[in-house]
């Protein structure tokens, strides 16, 4: 079902008295998607579909790759897709909104719901001094001097006992070499190498870098 068919079907079901929630269930889409389609009049819808088709062409060569990522990792965000693309294909120029829209369309087309995993937390005793370091990755968006928004990525090392911290920041995704170098710098900063390293997102290292 293409965008126009989806648009018409949603309006027909609403006219028949179905609630937005029921329409979403019948069509296998999210309630927010139903709401988004209902907000547009036919003219706006036409312009939107045309703009999507134009923007989508940029990412069409990578469709199968992005689709395989989403199927393997249903909880994957559009920001992660953007990072992985730019890491795999240096020089690719694509905007965040284009990736977000493309990912959303693929989820709708192939019925890939964004899953969320529930983490179970429990307190554990502190390890002896110098025995363990926890390693984690993250990112944040900040305003640059020219007022443009940029994305900063970081890797953080935390000594489990003392909570001493070491961080490194990059304005691009981390590569394997970056991660190795960051570990070496952290060990120098702490003055030694622990017996154990605990990674909060070990799958990110393995899957993203292959």
């Amino acid at each position: 079902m293409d965008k126009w068919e989806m648009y018409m079907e949603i309006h027909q079901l609403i006219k028949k008295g179905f609630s937005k929630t029921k329409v979403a269930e019948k069509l296998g889409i999210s309630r927010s998607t139903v709401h988004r389609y209902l907000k547009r009049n036919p003219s706006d819808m036409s312009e939107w579909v045309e703009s999507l088709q134009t923007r989508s062409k940029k990412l069409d060569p990578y469709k199968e790759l992005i689709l395989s990522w989403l199927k393997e990792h249903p909880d994957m965000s559009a920001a992660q897709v953007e990072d992985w693309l730019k890491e795999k294909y240096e020089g690719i120029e694509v905007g965040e909104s284009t990736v977000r829209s493309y990912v959303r369309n693929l989820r709708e087309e192939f019925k890939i719901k964004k899953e969320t995993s529930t983490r179970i937390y429990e307190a554990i005793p502190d390890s002896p001094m110098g025995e363990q370091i926890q390693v984690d990755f993250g990112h944040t968006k900040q305003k640059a001097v020219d007022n443009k928004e940029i994305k900063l990525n970081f890797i953080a090392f935390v000594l489990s006992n003392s909570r001493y911290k070491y961080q490194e920041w990059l304005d691009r995704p981390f590569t394997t070499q970056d991660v190795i170098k960051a570990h070496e710098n952290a060990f120098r900063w702490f003055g030694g190498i622990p017996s154990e390293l605990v990674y909060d997102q070990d799958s990110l290292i393995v899957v993203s870098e292959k």
Side-chain angles (χ1 to χ4, degrees):
M1 185 182 297
D2 63 24
K3 300 294 181 186
W4 266 113
E5 291 174 342
M6 181 77 73
Y7 177 77
M8 297 303 295
E9 189 67 21
I10 288 173
H11 279 268
Q12 286 297 324
L13 290 172
I14 290 293
K15 286 180 180 178
K16 291 178 180 179
F18 290 101
S19 66
K20 294 176 184 177
T21 301
K22 202 65 181 175
V23 171
E25 290 177 1
K26 280 180 168 293
L27 298 179
I29 58 178
S30 67
R31 192 174 182 278
S32 60
T33 299
V34 174
H35 181 69
R36 188 168 65 250
Y37 275 57
L38 288 173
K39 283 174 60 179
R40 292 187 168 92
N41 60 43
S43 177
D44 291 338
M45 185 66 189
S46 176
E47 292 179 5
W48 180 61
V49 170
E50 187 176 346
S51 69
L52 285 180
Q53 290 172 343
T54 302
R55 288 158 55 185
S56 293
K57 289 178 182 178
K58 280 188 175 182
L59 290 175
D60 278 348
Y62 315 100
K63 180 177 179 178
E64 293 305 318
L65 177 62
I66 297 173
L67 191 56
S68 68
W69 288 344
L70 293 175
K71 287 180 176 179
E72 187 175 355
H73 310 284
D75 60 340
M76 191 177 192
S77 68
Q80 285 175 297
V81 171
E82 181 184 356
D83 284 347
W84 288 14
L85 280 173
K86 289 181 177 179
E87 184 175 335
K88 191 173 181 65
Y89 301 98
E90 291 186 13
I92 182 175
E93 294 183 5
V94 60
E96 182 181 344
S97 61
T98 299
V99 178
R100 189 168 56 246
S101 176
Y102 197 80
V103 169
R104 183 172 60 240
N105 292 338
L106 284 182
R107 287 189 181 281
E108 291 176 4
E109 182 180 351
F110 294 92
K111 305 295 187 292
I112 304 174
K113 293 185 178 180
K114 187 171 183 180
E115 298 175 358
T116 55
S117 56
T118 304
R119 289 187 177 183
I120 301 175
Y121 297 89
E122 63 179 57
I124 58 173
D126 285 336
S127 57
M129 293 185 68
E131 180 174 315
Q132 184 187 88
I133 285 179
Q134 298 173 27
V135 187
D136 199 4
F137 295 85
H139 66 265
T140 181
K141 292 183 178 179
Q142 302 292 332
K143 293 286 187 180
V145 290
D146 57 2
N147 211 36
K148 289 184 178 179
E149 193 176 70
I150 60 172
K151 184 177 181 179
L152 298 177
N153 300 280
F154 68 82
I155 182 172
F157 301 80
V158 184
L159 282 172
S160 299
N161 186 286
S162 65
R163 300 296 189 267
Y164 276 16
K165 300 176 179 65
Y166 176 83
Q167 282 183 310
E168 289 196 9
W169 298 78
L170 287 177
D171 58 358
R172 56 173 172 77
F174 278 84
T175 65
T176 298
Q177 290 303 315
D178 294 327
V179 173
I180 293 172
K181 188 65 177 177
H183 279 68
E184 293 173 345
N185 293 339
F187 297 152
R188 277 193 288 270
W189 171 262
F190 291 128
I193 300 175
S195 302
E196 184 179 49
L197 294 169
V198 178
Y199 296 90
D200 185 46
Q201 300 180 45
D202 53 351
S203 63
L204 184 149
I205 303 174
V206 177
V207 177
S208 180
E209 259 312 297
K210 298 291 184 189

